[in-house]
Amino acid sequence: MDIQPIAVQIAKMRFFISLAIEQKPDPTQPNLGIRPLPNLETKFVAANTLIGIERPNQAVLRNPLIDAKEAELRQVRERHFTARTPATKARLRELDAKIRAEISELLRADGFPRETTEKLANWNPYDQNATADFFDPEWMFGIRNGFDIVIGNPPYIRQEEIKALKPVLQAQGYTCYTGTADLYVYFYERALQLLRDGGVLAFISSNKYFRAAYGEKLRAMLASQTIHRIIDFGDAPVFTAISYPSIIVLTKTPAVNNTVRALNWKPGPPIEQLPEIFRAQSFHIAQRDLRPDGWRLESPAALRLLEKLRAAGTPLGEYVKGRFYRGILTGLDEAFVVDRATRDRLIAEHPSSAEILKPFLRGRDIKRWRCEFGEQYLITIESSENKQHPWSGKNEREAERIFAKTYPAIHAWFDTMRQALIDRYDQGQYFWELRFCDYWREFEQSKIIYPDICEHQSFAWDTARFYVGNTAYFISTNQRWLVALLNSQCVEWFYGYICNRVRGSYMRAFSDYMRQIPIPPATSSQQREITALADKILALKQADPNADVSALEREIDERVYRLYGLTPE
């Protein structure tokens, strides 16, 4: 089954080829002993798998005539499967349509909605160019108690591209529904619905549901069944139809003290070696360790260490009281972010410009321990929802007149990009304002800043009141020792296990993951000692960005290990 008729046709062609080439010619038999190919129309369906039909709300005693007619329909399709002449096939198709209409009327009398029965009657399995906007296994395949196997690769379509479909999926009652879930998530739940008890699910899909927040319900659902195999290919390009592919094989039976055989594929060998590599390198994990907060395919020793670290401290989100912030999203960086020459010119044209031009960092400007200021400046005009301006509350024309008088150089600069500013999505109450943000004051405080993508932990300490763009995040705090802790090998190891990764094994610094980093208890004396080491590194990096600070970092690592209660073993 596939939603695209062309995909169904290609699949049928593939089956025809297999049926043809796998037969053994026998020169002594008529037609060389080659059996005629069957008619596969009723074995392949173009339909929307995710959408079921509406059935009666109340439990009713099923009309036995429905069962009789469905049996008659199955017989017609079995005869069509082996029909040889066009006349026979045409007659059977007419009979198929007649029986479908009769069953439709019986279902309506049995309480099915008229819309549903008309949809069922009008579905024609022999129309090879049509696709059904619903799927029902009983009606389309004669399967009432579930399939033995559901296998496939669900489409990887990001949630931003299925906005129109989300209300429909929610109305279908998917328990794994979340507003941010990508489309493939729903195919997993649908597959479980379609399986009989004891049936087998085998999917290749994106691995994003292993750790993404939107996958929590799906993880719990899958972990309630008996999982046999999981393979995580990471960012290895072994299946180009999807990003970050993974394979899962499970049985639809409740999991009881089950162990899962898992493999983390390492790029390098050709995919044809998968069977041998799986046999040699896979390991067993307890299925109970596949938890709703995130799946980690690691050896029992690694999982024990993760739990030891978790138990050793307070989650960072609690420790800093949730003070995680994302950088500013301007909607038009070419207007709001200017270089040093433009900044100087705007201030020279009118001194008022200096009030709202702030030093600005992009994600790529943030390095480990230090910031590499690229002489970029942000025009910080807060939304009138945030701040009372002289023009706030005025109509658009009057407000712009006041804005032009207050900041004439900035107004003239914006006027060169007026239409783009007006058209942008992210803006305040007026087109020259930045979007609403309730933490503007935090940019002016001491803070830890970090890029949204990094190869290694790259936390920097900032007291220069930098503003940052949306490719960076920051934690508002005055505790410098935290920079050292977050840059330690121990924390990097922990974070590498819980975060999502992108191509090249780069880590994503999403706040949902950052909040989980355990902060071990440290006395004031221990914090001062680590802060002193961090200050030495910061001073060295300030004097020379390429300074070798590895010895100081190793000393910090040793102190951090002790804070977590770790030994060399």
Side-chain angles (χ1 to χ4, degrees):
M1 179 165 45
D2 195 285
I3 199 169
Q4 300 182 74
I6 185 63
V8 171
Q9 297 287 28
I10 292 170
K12 282 198 301 183
M13 183 183 299
R14 178 65 179 83
F15 272 70
F16 278 138
I17 292 171
S18 292
L19 289 169
I21 66 175
E22 290 174 6
Q23 296 191 60
K24 303 296 183 184
D26 184 352
T28 67
Q29 298 295 320
N31 198 38
L32 298 178
I34 301 298
R35 298 170 60 190
L37 295 175
N39 303 301
L40 297 179
E41 286 87 348
T42 60
K43 304 299 183 183
F44 291 79
V45 171
N48 186 340
T49 323
L50 296 179
I51 309 301
I53 62 171
E54 183 181 353
R55 297 178 179 274
N57 291 325
Q58 73 279 10
V60 294
L61 187 62
R62 185 180 173 94
N63 186 338
L65 288 177
I66 297 174
D67 292 331
K69 282 293 179 183
E70 287 187 346
E72 187 178 346
L73 185 62
R74 284 195 296 273
Q75 291 174 1
V76 168
R77 292 179 179 175
E78 288 170 6
R79 288 161 59 194
H80 184 277
F81 183 73
T82 55
R84 296 289 172 259
T85 67
T88 302
K89 287 192 282 187
R91 180 173 55 80
L92 291 171
R93 292 181 183 188
E94 290 176 4
L95 185 55
D96 190 307
K98 177 176 176 293
I99 297 172
R100 290 201 313 271
E102 292 171 349
I103 296 175
S104 173
E105 289 301 318
L106 290 171
L107 289 173
R108 186 180 304 172
D110 230 30
F112 276 70
R114 174 181 292 274
E115 182 182 354
T116 297
T117 58
E118 289 178 354
K119 184 181 294 187
L120 296 177
N122 292 330
W123 175 72
N124 179 8
Y126 306 103
D127 184 351
Q128 301 302 288
N129 297 312
T131 183
D133 61 0
F134 72 97
F135 174 69
D136 184 73
E138 180 179 356
W139 188 254
M140 294 174 168
F141 287 125
I143 301 293
R144 291 182 60 180
N145 298 316
F147 293 94
D148 296 306
I149 301 170
V150 176
I151 183 171
N153 62 292
Y156 184 67
I157 300 176
R158 292 180 59 81
Q159 60 94 9
E160 294 90 348
E161 301 175 48
I162 59 170
K163 292 180 180 178
L165 187 58
K166 289 179 184 179
V168 180
L169 294 171
Q170 192 169 20
Q172 286 286 307
Y174 283 101
T175 58
C176 65
Y177 176 86
T178 66
T180 57
D182 295 334
L183 186 63
Y184 72 90
V185 167
Y186 305 103
F187 280 86
Y188 275 97
E189 182 170 348
R190 184 64 166 143
L192 289 172
Q193 293 172 1
L194 294 173
L195 280 173
R196 66 167 175 81
D197 289 342
V200 175
L201 164 69
F203 266 15
I204 180 167
S205 79
S206 169
N207 68 5
K208 293 295 185 65
Y209 74 91
F210 284 9
R211 296 186 177 95
Y214 69 68
E216 182 172 358
K217 296 177 183 177
L218 176 60
R219 291 191 293 269
M221 181 182 299
L222 295 177
S224 68
Q225 309 301 316
T226 301
I227 301 175
H228 302 291
R229 304 281 187 271
I230 302 179
I231 302 175
D232 183 6
F233 292 101
D235 61 2
V238 298
F239 192 66
T240 55
I242 51 178
S243 301
Y244 311 102
S246 65
I247 291 174
I248 185 169
V249 180
L250 62 80
T251 300
K252 188 179 177 180
T253 55
V256 179
N257 297 324
N258 187 49
T259 59
V260 180
R261 196 167 176 183
L263 172 69
N264 287 312
W265 178 268
K266 304 301 181 186
I271 191 62
E272 289 78 11
Q273 293 182 16
L274 174 59
E276 293 78 13
I277 290 174
F278 186 83
R279 283 192 289 270
Q281 299 181 13
S282 61
F283 51 89
H284 290 86
I285 59 174
Q287 187 166 322
R288 63 177 177 273
D289 289 330
L290 298 177
R291 300 180 179 179
D293 66 340
W295 286 6
R296 296 162 193 93
L297 306 185
E298 301 300 337
S299 67
L303 291 175
R304 286 195 300 271
L305 182 52
L306 280 170
E307 289 309 306
K308 183 177 179 66
L309 293 174
R310 284 185 185 278
T314 302
L316 180 60
E318 295 179 24
Y319 189 86
V320 299
K321 297 179 170 56
R323 298 180 75 182
F324 292 85
Y325 304 106
R326 187 187 185 191
I328 295 296
L329 184 64
T330 69
L332 191 67
D333 279 1
E334 52 265 45
F336 285 93
V337 180
V338 301
D339 58 19
R340 180 59 181 258
T342 304
R343 169 200 178 266
D344 292 348
R345 178 174 61 79
L346 291 172
I347 293 174
E349 289 176 5
H350 199 278
S352 63
S353 302
E355 301 171 16
I356 54 176
L357 280 161
K358 306 291 184 180
F360 180 75
L361 296 175
R362 301 154 297 187
R364 63 178 179 270
D365 299 326
I366 303 165
K367 312 299 180 184
R368 184 176 173 88
W369 299 106
R370 65 187 178 84
C371 299
E372 203 171 75
F373 183 41
E375 294 292 347
Q376 300 288 300
Y377 296 85
L378 177 69
I379 300 175
T380 56
I381 306 177
E382 300 178 40
S383 171
S384 291
E385 299 168 271
N386 288 108
K387 180 178 179 179
Q388 185 66 27
H389 297 290
W391 57 82
S392 298
K394 309 294 184 182
N395 63 55
E396 188 86 15
R397 178 174 294 182
E398 176 64 11
E400 186 174 356
R401 187 189 66 79
I402 298 172
F403 168 59
K405 184 178 179 180
T406 308
Y407 300 108
I410 300 294
H411 176 265
W413 166 253
F414 281 169
D415 204 42
T416 64
M417 293 170 273
R418 170 181 289 269
Q419 195 57 50
L421 285 164
I422 293 172
D423 292 343
R424 70 197 169 103
Y425 177 77
D426 293 292
Q427 60 179 273
Q429 289 193 342
Y430 304 97
F431 74 80
W432 57 87
E433 294 179 342
L434 292 166
R435 63 183 291 177
F436 173 80
C437 173
D438 61 3
Y439 52 87
W440 277 101
R441 304 287 79 78
E442 302 293 342
F443 286 101
E444 301 283 345
Q445 311 301 317
S446 58
K447 55 188 177 289
I448 298 170
I449 52 180
Y450 49 99
D452 66 340
I453 300 176
C454 61
E455 185 175 8
H456 298 288
Q457 300 287 61
S458 298
F459 294 89
W461 178 251
D462 171 45
T463 55
R465 299 183 176 182
F466 281 117
Y467 284 66
V468 297
N470 65 306
T471 54
Y473 296 86
F474 68 97
I475 303 169
S476 183
T477 180
N478 58 6
Q479 300 188 50
R480 287 198 308 286
W481 80 284
L482 284 178
V483 181
L485 180 82
L486 294 174
N487 277 331
S488 69
Q489 284 193 358
C490 191
V491 168
E492 178 162 339
W493 182 87
F494 178 89
Y495 191 75
Y497 274 104
I498 67 170
C499 74
N500 264 347
R501 291 182 181 269
V502 295
R503 291 283 185 215
S505 293
Y506 284 79
M507 296 183 287
R508 295 303 307 270
F510 293 138
S511 295
D512 284 342
Y513 304 131
M514 292 295 300
R515 289 188 178 95
Q516 299 178 40
I517 295 174
I519 306 302
T523 65
S524 298
S525 175
Q526 289 170 325
Q527 290 184 21
R528 284 195 299 271
E529 291 170 358
I530 294 175
T531 299
L533 292 169
D535 286 346
K536 289 180 181 178
I537 293 176
L538 294 171
L540 289 169
K541 289 293 185 182
Q542 179 71 25
D544 177 7
N546 298 315
D548 181 4
V549 295
S550 56
L552 291 168
E553 288 183 325
R554 284 195 297 272
E555 192 170 346
I556 289 173
D557 287 337
E558 291 298 324
R559 293 175 185 273
V560 170
Y561 290 143
R562 290 196 292 271
L563 288 179
Y564 283 110
L566 301 182
T567 64
E569 291 75 19

